[in-house]
Amino acid sequence: MKIALASDHGGFELKEAIKKHLTEDRKIEVLDLGTDSTASVDYPVYGHKAAHAVADGEADLGIVCCGTGIGISMAANKVKGIRCALCTNEYMAEFTKRHNNANMLAFGGRTTTPDLANRMVDIWLDTEYEGGRHQRRVDQIEE
Ligand code: RB5
């Protein structure tokens, strides 16, 4: 299992906190696609990088962060095959796996604490996709 991580400057510190949690607490390999500081950069560049890593099979899943999580999730969702869910609470993190089989999560570094983001990451990773009637709807997204 490998998870692609990317952020702009607004999500940099949250990305670093998620990277620490994934690598140290969960022993999951990460593919860190930047950015690597709080210097200003453009979030679409990083959203696309992580989304292409997932869509092309370089990583199994992806997590992206910007100031709000909004712009970078919009960018990621432009890549075919990506279902990137902007989550702000545990219920959303659980149900975006159960029902949408989200292959990427997005968070806001200015709206979500590292503790909450890491709890949402854990829930998303530990929840099973339900399939069944939800697969028809996921297929409709792809079509
Ligand atoms: C950057 O200031 C900010 O616009 C960006 O991080 C993000 O919040 C966009 O949606």
Side-chain angles (χ1 to χ4, degrees):
M1 154 81 84
K2 191 189 294 184
I3 300 186
L5 295 180
S7 75
D8 75 353
H9 53 290
F12 170 69
E13 283 166 9
L14 184 58
K15 170 176 70 74
E16 293 301 300
I18 293 168
K19 180 164 68 176
K20 187 171 189 298
H21 177 57
L22 289 174
T23 56
E24 294 181 14
D25 302 333
R26 298 212 41 148
K27 313 294 180 211
I28 291 174
E29 188 180 354
V30 304
L31 175 64
D32 186 347
L33 298 165
T35 188
D36 56 9
S37 77
T38 54
S40 183
V41 292
D42 296 333
Y43 60 80
V45 172
Y46 293 89
H48 289 153
K49 277 187 190 193
H52 280 292
V54 174
D56 298 348
E58 269 183 85
D60 303 290
L61 299 168
I63 301 172
V64 287
C65 306
C66 66
T68 58
I70 297 171
I72 205 161
S73 62
M74 288 177 170
N77 277 317
K78 290 290 181 185
V79 175
K80 184 143 181 72
I82 294 303
R83 295 177 303 283
C84 181
L86 170 58
C87 292
T88 57
N89 62 53
E90 290 100 326
Y91 182 89
M92 294 168 82
E94 177 181 343
F95 277 82
T96 200
K97 176 61 90 58
R98 285 170 63 150
H99 288 186
N100 316 125
N101 200 19
N103 51 11
M104 294 185 64
L105 288 190
F107 299 123
R110 297 173 184 153
T111 60
T112 301
T113 64
D115 276 358
L116 175 57
N118 283 329
R119 283 205 306 280
M120 291 192 274
V121 168
D122 285 341
I123 288 167
W124 176 61
L125 291 176
D126 296 339
T127 297
E128 294 291 323
Y129 173 50
E130 288 179 9
R133 70 186 187 281
H134 300 294
Q135 188 57 47
R136 181 179 71 247
R137 296 159 183 166
V138 169
D139 290 343
Q140 287 171 8
I141 295 174
E142 297 312 313
E143 285 159 21

